[in-house]
């Protein structure tokens, strides 16, 4: 019941969020048509042209916006604003060399205002990097995090051992920790037409607890595989990517989980750039070492996992982005008591907005997100409860704020509350987390 209720709330929230843009689209199309007729008679009406470009971008009609701006430049090649808007639009369409030419021309214009100059200087290096055959990017973050339940002990301190309730002699423990997060990506073209490229991703995360050092965590993962463009005439922008992946992690200084596997994921645009779906499937072998206080808390055991997933990305406007992911995973372990099915749903809404100072150049963002999952184990674990197999429903909700200060440096902060409900008291936990810190991008 809880899972159905949460899913219904999520769907109602999404419907309310996007009902206004959907309802406004016919009005936008009518205004676009009216302005188009007006510009045919008055091609040098700058204000009407920029209004037409804005509406066309909101409707996802980038080709129409580009056509209007190109006409303006034909009449007046020195228009810095038109050059800048063209650079942004061509970058959105993947024509990075043309985008860079327009952005450089705009940057050299003597009448460019400071706010637009800051925006171009922030955007141009990223566009120029996309013209290279091998493209690297990195995001590094460090900071501090607080947790209300850093020891992940049960909410009421009760453990079941062989079906008998035992109160823990140790209390729940709040704590602070330092953390480091790194994302490194490389895309290398495999042909001149960019119909195939090798995508490699590395992610690392580590924490250092102030008091409960046995809960220090480190997770490091690597994946790599070629992405192939599919038939451009049948479905422009579609691609498929087979890949291999591996992961290693530690908890409290000791190895916890090693895994390796392979998968395949597709990217299928449905409404141009506005909507795309990403179905995928992945197999992983899992090797788990569990000891100390984690033995009764782990939902993972040595074995294998197969995951089928589908993600969506919807961009109704340049400033708004909705991402969702639904996945089903089958975990197979040597013991049936450690084998289970997992269903997971995630959603994130990202809203970009202008920073308080126009000279900062880059948009700030706020992103509320949520996650819900359900675990159903195959059989009872006699060490915990000889009569009831484990059943969990967990959820987390939070909000992430990103505030770039320069192209390379910014600040990030997040707030999250997570809760796990279970039919076995050992696994009933909750945790309130707050973290913040500087971010560097290269």
């Amino acid at each position: 019941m809880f899972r159905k209720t949460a899913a219904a709330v999520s769907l109602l929230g999404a419907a309310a969020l996007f009902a206004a843009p959907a309802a406004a689209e016919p009005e936008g199309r009518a205004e676009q048509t009216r302005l188009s007729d007006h510009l045919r008679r008055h091609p040098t009406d700058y204000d009407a042209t920029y209004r037409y470009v804005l509406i066309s971008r909101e409707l996802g009609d980038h080709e129409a916006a580009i056509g209007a701006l190109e006409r303006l430049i034909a009449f007046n090649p020195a228009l810095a604003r038109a050059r800048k808007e063209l650079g942004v639009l061509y970058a959105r369409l993947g024509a990075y060399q043309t985008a860079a030419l327009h952005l450089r021309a705009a940057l050299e214009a003597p009448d460019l205002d400071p706010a637009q100059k800051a925006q171009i200087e922030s955007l141009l290096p990223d566009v120029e990097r996309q013209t290279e055959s091998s493209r690297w990017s990195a995001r590094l973050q460090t900071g501090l995090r607080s947790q209300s339940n850093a020891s992940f002990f049960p909410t009421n301190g009760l453990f079941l051992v062989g079906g008998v309730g035992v109160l823990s002699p140790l209390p729940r423990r709040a704590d602070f920790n330092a953390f480091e997060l790194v994302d490194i990506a490389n895309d290398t073209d495999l042909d001149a037409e960019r119909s195939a490229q090798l995508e490699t991703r590395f992610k690392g995360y580590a924490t250092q607890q102030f008091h409960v050092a046995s809960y220090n965590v480190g997770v490091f993962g690597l994946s790599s595989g070629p992405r192939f463009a599919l038939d451009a005439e049948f479905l422009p922008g579609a691609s498929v990517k087979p890949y291999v992946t591996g992961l290693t992690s530690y908890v409290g200084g000791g190895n916890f989980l090693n895994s390796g596997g392979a998968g395949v994921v597709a990217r299928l645009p449905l409404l141009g750039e506005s909507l795309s779906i990403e179905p995928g499937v992945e197999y992983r072998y899992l090797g788990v070492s569990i000891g100390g206080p984690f033995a009764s808390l782990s939902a993972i055991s040595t074995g294998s996992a197969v995951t089928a997933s589908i993600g969506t990305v919807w961009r109704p406007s340049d400033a708004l982005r909705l991402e969702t992911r639904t996945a089903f995973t089958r975990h197979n372990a040597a013991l049936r008591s450690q084998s289970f099915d997992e269903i997971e749903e995630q959603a994130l809404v990202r809203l970009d907005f202008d920073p308080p100072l126009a000279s900062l150049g880059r948009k700030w963002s706020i992103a509320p997100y949520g996650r819900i999952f359900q675990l159903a184990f195959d059989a009872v674990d006699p060490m915990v409860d000889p009569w009831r197999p484990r059943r969990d429903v967990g959820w987390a909700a939070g909000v992430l704020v990103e505030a770039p200060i320069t192209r390379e440096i910014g600040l990030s902060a997040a707030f999250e509350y997570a809760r796990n409900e279970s039919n076995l008291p050992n696994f009933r936990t909750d945790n309130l987390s707050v973290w913040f810190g500087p971010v560097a991008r290269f």
Side-chain angles (χ1 to χ4, degrees), residues 4 91 114 122 197 299 370:
K4 291 182 179 178
S122 177
Q197 62 184 23

Side-chain angles (χ1 to χ4, degrees), residues 205-227:
Y205 176 72
T207 68
Q208 301 83 43
Q209 299 293 144
F210 286 9
H211 299 293
V212 285
S214 58
Y215 287 80
N216 291 344
V217 171
V219 183
F220 308 95
L222 180 69
S223 68
S224 184
R227 182 177 292 277

Side-chain angles (χ1 to χ4, degrees), residues 33-51:
T33 300
R34 187 191 70 78
L35 288 170
S36 178
D37 293 339
H38 173 80
L39 291 173
R40 274 196 291 268
R41 299 188 300 271
H42 308 281
T44 57
D45 186 337
Y46 295 171
D47 290 338
T49 299
Y50 290 131
R51 172 65 178 162

Side-chain angles (χ1 to χ4, degrees), residues 323-344:
E323 301 179 16
T324 68
R325 182 177 185 270
T326 300
F328 172 79
T329 301
R330 173 60 189 174
H331 294 260
N332 290 306
L335 298 175
R336 292 189 65 232
S337 60
Q338 286 292 317
S339 299
F340 61 93
D341 295 330
E342 178 179 7
I343 300 173
E344 180 181 25

Side-chain angles (χ1 to χ4, degrees), residues 125-126 129-130 132 134-142 181-187 200-204 362 402 406-410 438-442:
D126 293 334
R129 180 167 54 205
Q130 292 298 324
E132 301 171 355
S134 181
R135 301 170 293 281
W136 289 91
S137 63
R139 182 183 187 276
L140 312 175
Q141 182 179 3
T142 186
L181 177 66
V182 56
D183 288 314
I184 300 175
N186 175 259
D187 295 337
T200 302
R201 305 288 185 265
F202 171 80
K203 295 181 180 291
R362 287 187 171 244
E402 295 274 355
T406 69
R407 175 181 171 271
E408 295 84 9
I409 303 298
V439 178
R441 291 181 175 84
F442 305 98

Side-chain angles (χ1 to χ4, degrees), residues 16-133:
L17 181 62
F18 295 109
E25 183 172 350
E27 297 178 6
R29 292 290 181 189
E31 179 69 2
Q32 184 191 39
T33 300
R34 187 191 70 78
L35 288 170
S36 178
D37 293 339
H38 173 80
L39 291 173
R40 274 196 291 268
R41 299 188 300 271
H42 308 281
T44 57
D45 186 337
Y46 295 171
D47 290 338
T49 299
Y50 290 131
R51 172 65 178 162
Y52 177 82
V53 169
L54 176 62
I55 291 175
S56 297
R57 287 181 59 176
E58 290 177 348
L59 294 172
D61 192 353
H62 296 119
E63 290 80 2
I66 287 173
L69 291 168
E70 293 281 12
R71 285 194 299 271
L72 269 191
I73 289 178
F75 285 101
N76 186 352
L79 285 176
R81 180 180 175 185
R83 292 281 189 186
K84 176 217 166 189
E85 296 294 340
L86 271 174
V88 172
L89 287 167
Y90 275 119
R92 285 290 301 273
L93 294 177
Y96 297 108
Q97 290 185 343
T98 304
L101 288 173
H102 284 292
L103 291 173
R104 291 192 203 102
L107 199 57
E108 294 170 358
D111 60 340
L112 189 67
D113 67 69
Q116 290 186 338
K117 182 178 180 181
Q119 292 172 6
I120 295 173
E121 289 176 339
S122 177
L123 177 62
L124 184 56
D126 293 334
V127 172
E128 290 179 327
R129 180 167 54 205
Q130 292 298 324
T131 65
E132 301 171 355
S133 60

